[in-house]
């Protein structure tokens, strides 16, 4: 049997921490505030952003959504980010993807000051993370670590294979795993014989963005598999990067999609926002 490593209970306990700290701050006259800058008309993004706003509302975190047109230029987005960076009432900033076609994250990431960079997109935040110094890690990468901690998965000396090397998931998760003394291999689209490499893993973290790519051949008996993937099929259903049916009975544990990494990530974004508010009032 493969254990289902649900993120729901963990997300609930993170949200409880958020609520307690948000209340303390509000009682002291600081309303923790997260700004989300959106420049897309993608419906699933709109749903995701409004779900963060609703969760924030329940927990005492004010979420301000700034919406620009999907045709917005890099300069327009930069101007908006400068405004949010200077606004003392805003403690955390999320630059929501997807961005307009003509704009890349690299054009904008430096405009999110590191103290407000609650999803770790600024390259300086990434540098601090590599140096082992305090900075907000990208929430998804931290969610992977929190799940491993929650389910008491041993990391020290263990072999971990991370499939995917993006700046928001694969690379930061590899750094965080190294800090826990795991032996980490990062694989990507040019990696040869990925199933054989994955078979060496005690823990397999999959962040590829390809529905059900990881099947039984990638997983050896007992491996703990963290599925970061969120892909949608033609009917709008959410699918992971791992074929859960195929690895059932082989993987020692698997995070479900939905209900695994996703809810923990959302809870952590709000946690980072209240921590940022707490740090900025000092
Ligand atoms: P990304 O920027 O597109 O990066 C994908 C990575 O996968 C790249 O490093 C790419 O390699 C690698 N890759 C692609 N095809 C591959 C293959 N056939 N074999 C091995 N590696 C392959 O994606 P991302 O932003 O990291 O996101 C990954 C997934 O996580 C997506 O499904 C995304 O929706 C999901 N996600 C979920 C959350 C959450 O909260 N649950 C948050 C963020 C992202 P190259 O570098 O060589 O191109």
């Amino acid at each position: 049997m493969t254990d289902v490593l649900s993120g729901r209970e963990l997300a609930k306990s993170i949200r409880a921490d958020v609520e307690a700290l948000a209340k303390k701050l509000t009682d002291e006259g600081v309303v923790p505030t997260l700004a989300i800058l959106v420049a897309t008309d993608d419906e699933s993004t709109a749903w995701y952003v409004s779900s963060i706003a609703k969760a924030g509302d329940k927990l005492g975190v004010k979420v301000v959504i700034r919406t620009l047109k999907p045709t917005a230029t890099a300069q327009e987005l930069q101007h908006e980010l400068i405004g949010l960076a200077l606004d003392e009432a805003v403690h955390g900033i999320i630059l929501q993807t997807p961005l307009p076609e003509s704009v890349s994250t690299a054009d904008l990431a430096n405009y999110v000051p590191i103290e407000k960079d609650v999803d770790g997109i600024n390259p300086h935040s990434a540098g601090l993370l590599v140096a082992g110094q305090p900075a907000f890690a990208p929430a998804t990468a931290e969610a992977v670590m929190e799940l491993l901690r929650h389910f008491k998965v041993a990391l020290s000396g263990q072999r971990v294979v991370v499939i995917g090397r993006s700046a928001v998931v694969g690379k930061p998760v590899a750094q965080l795993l190294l800090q826990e003394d795991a032996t980490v291999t990062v694989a990507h689209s040019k990696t040869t014989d990925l199933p054989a490499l994955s078979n060496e893993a005690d823990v397999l973290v999959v962040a590829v963005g390809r529905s059900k790519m990881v099947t039984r051949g990638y997983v050896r008996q007992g491996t703990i598999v963290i599925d970061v993937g969120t892909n949608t099929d033609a009917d709008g259903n959410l699918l992971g990067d791992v074929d859960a049916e195929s690895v059932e009975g082989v993987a020692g544990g698997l995070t479900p999609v939905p209900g695994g990494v996703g809810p923990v990530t959302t809870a952590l974004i709000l946690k980072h926002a209240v921590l940022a508010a707490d740090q900025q009032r000092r």
Side-chain angles (χ1 to χ4, degrees), residues 45-81:
T45 305
W47 180 87
Y48 174 66
V49 169
S50 83
S51 75
I52 297 179
K54 274 187 211 147
D57 207 34
K58 277 190 196 155
L59 303 176
V61 179
K62 185 175 169 188
V63 179
V64 178
I65 302 169
R66 290 282 171 84
T67 308
L68 299 191
K69 290 187 181 139
T71 50
T73 63
Q75 271 169 326
E76 285 168 328
L77 284 151
Q78 285 163 1
H79 183 259
E80 202 64 35
L81 288 172

Side-chain angles (χ1 to χ4, degrees), residues 153-161 176-185 200-203 220:
V153 177
L155 291 173
S156 180
Q158 301 295 293
R159 283 174 175 248
V160 183
V161 173
L176 294 170
L177 287 160
L178 274 176
Q179 286 171 18
E180 296 300 321
D181 298 327
T183 302
V184 186
T185 307
E200 291 175 15
D202 300 303
V203 176
R220 73 174 157 79

Side-chain angles (χ1 to χ4, degrees), residues 46-47 118 130 268-269 274:
W47 180 87
V118 292
V130 174
L268 284 173
I269 285 172
V274 288

Side-chain angles (χ1 to χ4, degrees), residues 24-278:
K24 184 170 165 279
L25 289 166
T26 306
D27 288 349
E28 291 169 12
V30 177
V31 179
T33 301
L34 172 69
I36 308 180
L37 181 56
V38 181
T40 174
D41 53 11
D42 177 56
E43 277 179 25
S44 60
T45 305
W47 180 87
Y48 174 66
V49 169
S50 83
S51 75
I52 297 179
K54 274 187 211 147
D57 207 34
K58 277 190 196 155
L59 303 176
V61 179
K62 185 175 169 188
V63 179
V64 178
I65 302 169
R66 290 282 171 84
T67 308
L68 299 191
K69 290 187 181 139
T71 50
T73 63
Q75 271 169 326
E76 285 168 328
L77 284 151
Q78 285 163 1
H79 183 259
E80 202 64 35
L81 288 172
I82 290 168
L84 294 171
L86 292 172
D87 186 343
E88 285 184 8
V90 170
H91 306 105
I93 301 172
I94 297 277
L95 175 63
Q96 187 59 47
T97 54
L99 293 168
E101 254 174 48
S102 63
V103 183
S104 73
T105 303
D107 296 329
L108 305 173
N110 280 299
Y111 288 82
V112 180
I114 54 172
E115 67 276 13
K116 298 189 181 186
D117 187 18
V118 292
D119 204 18
I121 64 159
N122 188 318
H124 293 94
S125 300
L128 289 167
L129 195 69
V130 174
Q133 291 181 31
F136 291 114
T140 308
E142 195 175 320
V144 171
M145 301 306 293
E146 290 289 333
L147 277 159
L148 292 168
R149 206 167 291 134
H150 180 73
F151 289 103
K152 300 186 169 51
V153 177
L155 291 173
S156 180
Q158 301 295 293
R159 283 174 175 248
V160 183
V161 173
V162 179
I163 311 181
R165 58 174 164 179
S166 72
V168 285
V169 192
K171 282 178 186 161
V173 94
Q175 286 302 329
L176 294 170
L177 287 160
L178 274 176
Q179 286 171 18
E180 296 300 321
D181 298 327
T183 302
V184 186
T185 307
V186 182
H188 44 79
S189 67
K190 307 289 187 293
T191 300
T192 54
D193 205 352
L194 187 52
L197 178 73
S198 303
N199 264 277
E200 291 175 15
D202 300 303
V203 176
L204 185 62
V205 179
V206 190
V208 173
R210 288 174 184 261
S211 306
K212 299 187 177 189
M213 187 190 96
V214 169
T215 51
R216 181 174 283 248
Y218 287 67
V219 181
R220 73 174 157 79
Q221 197 67 41
T223 296
I224 299 296
V225 184
I226 307 292
D227 187 353
V228 181
T230 48
N231 313 288
T232 35
D233 67 11
D235 300 324
N237 300 310
L238 203 59
L239 300 173
D241 288 344
V242 178
D243 184 343
E245 268 177 39
S246 166
V247 305
E248 171 59 40
V250 184
L254 171 66
T255 55
V257 178
V261 175
V264 181
T265 301
T266 310
L268 284 173
I269 285 172
L270 293 168
K271 182 176 178 181
H272 287 181
V274 288
L275 289 175
D278 191 32

